[in-house]
Amino acid sequence: MAAHGRYLAPGLVDMHCHGGGGHSFATSCADEARAAAATHHAAGVTTVMASLVSDRIEVLEQQLEVLAGVARTGEVAGMHLEGPWLSPAFRGAHPEALLQAPTPGDVDRLLRAGRGHLRMVTLAPELPGALQAVRRLVAAGVVVALGHTGADADTVRTAVDAGASVLTHACNGMRPLHHRDPGPVVAALGDPRVTLEVIGDGVHLHPEVLALIFRCAPGRVALVSDAMPAAGCPDGTYRLGAQEVEVLGGVARLAGGGSIAGSTTPLPGALQVSRAAGVPALVALGAATTAPSRALGLSVGALRPGAPADVLLLDADLQVQQVWRAGVPIGPAHD
């Protein structure tokens, strides 16, 4: 809805976020997690998932227990485990030594630690025991995402049949598209049951690829930040889980020039990147509100009676001007 050349829109929903403002969700300190969430709330992301990176099961267990308390107060919408059940060949910034195949015991341990607030898990469906884990997680009410995977298209389809419904940061951390081996992206694009995450930071995807995914999967693209603690911060040295990350020119890489290690662009920046790629304004807004909300089974991401009063005022270029969360103004107003 336009307001004197501006837009009144639902608050943004980020379903994949590791931290921001110098703070991490991969922590045993509830105050640090709250500070990370507050950074994104003030920017216009009124609903944020707390994403964790691969670590030892006992460390993830402790982090989930802490974050469950933060989720209980509504400061985060729940937790997202990105690992440790990932492919070593497509690990990205995840340490190979921490990766493993899922076991029923470990799945149940982490479900218990989440206390009902573990909302999404990313795993590689080709790993031993992965399909059993998909079924167990879905039965527990957890959204299963496929990512950091070398799976072929048939394996992806089998995992979707088992209940998986999201592709984690499409094109990144997975077998690439090939004309004789279509891989995860093509399988997800062709399946109406799958929501495709895309990182709209102008680094992870070429603008033409970003626009192509939007065209091929209308209504099923969810813009995500994949933000790490340096989001909204100057260049420097930060940490992502157990690893040191160097940010140079706004691009985060593992120390020593390694893999891209998340993004430094909060979700509102993905709106401008999408618009520059030719994505229509309302389509981009839908990908940052209704699509992720629907993928997670949330009641946010829309302006309707009974919905949370999470509202943004944006200018014609989709720059956030004012933020209301639960009806309370929290973001900086601009003239």
Side-chain angles (χ1 to χ4, degrees), residues 22-104:
H23 310 287
S24 176
F25 287 126
T27 179
S28 58
C29 174
D31 286 342
E32 180 173 8
R34 291 188 176 99
T39 296
H40 290 281
H41 293 162
V45 187
T46 52
T47 300
V48 60
M49 287 272 283
S51 297
L52 299 178
V53 293
S54 298
D55 214 318
R56 300 190 310 278
I57 295 296
E58 58 269 26
V59 172
L60 294 172
E61 202 171 25
Q62 182 185 39
Q63 292 172 347
L64 287 172
E65 288 171 351
V66 169
L67 289 169
V70 182
R72 238 184 346 261
T73 62
E75 291 160 279
V76 297
M79 293 86 79
H80 163 218
L81 277 178
E82 188 180 13
W85 305 318
L86 309 177
S87 165
F90 293 90
R91 65 186 181 275
H94 295 258
E96 184 172 5
L98 295 174
L99 303 183
Q100 58 184 279
T103 66

Side-chain angles (χ1 to χ4, degrees), residues 122-148:
T122 295
L123 55 74
E126 72 273 22
L127 296 177
L131 292 180
Q132 182 181 357
V134 171
R135 296 186 185 99
R136 173 71 181 99
L137 290 163
V138 171
V142 176
V143 174
V144 174
L146 308 177
H148 290 281

Side-chain angles (χ1 to χ4, degrees), residues 98-122:
L98 295 174
L99 303 183
Q100 58 184 279
T103 66
D106 286 345
V107 171
D108 285 343
R109 280 179 67 181
L110 296 181
L111 282 171
R112 285 193 298 270
R115 301 176 189 173
H117 297 285
L118 177 58
R119 193 171 287 274
M120 187 166 74
V121 170
T122 295

Side-chain angles (χ1 to χ4, degrees), residues 12 14 40 43-45 198-203 210 214 223-227 231-232 263-277 279 284-285 288 312 314 317-320:
L12 305 188
D14 194 349
H40 290 281
V45 187
V198 292
I199 304 173
D201 63 351
V203 175
L210 179 68
F214 269 98
L223 282 169
V224 299
S225 70
D226 196 12
S263 171
T264 64
T265 302
L267 190 57
L271 296 175
Q272 282 80 59
V273 170
S274 299
R275 291 293 291 121
V279 178
L285 280 171
L312 304 183
L314 306 103
D317 296 321
L318 301 188
Q319 296 277 355
V320 176

Side-chain angles (χ1 to χ4, degrees), residues 235-256:
D235 287 358
T237 301
Y238 299 85
R239 297 197 70 80
L240 179 63
Q243 303 210 90
E244 188 173 275
V245 175
E246 295 174 345
V247 178
L248 182 62
V251 178
R253 291 187 178 275
L254 294 180

Side-chain angles (χ1 to χ4, degrees), residues 57 114 183 196 211 213 304 308 313 318 321 327:
I57 295 296
L196 292 89
I213 293 172
R304 61 173 180 265
L313 182 66
L318 301 188
Q321 302 295 295

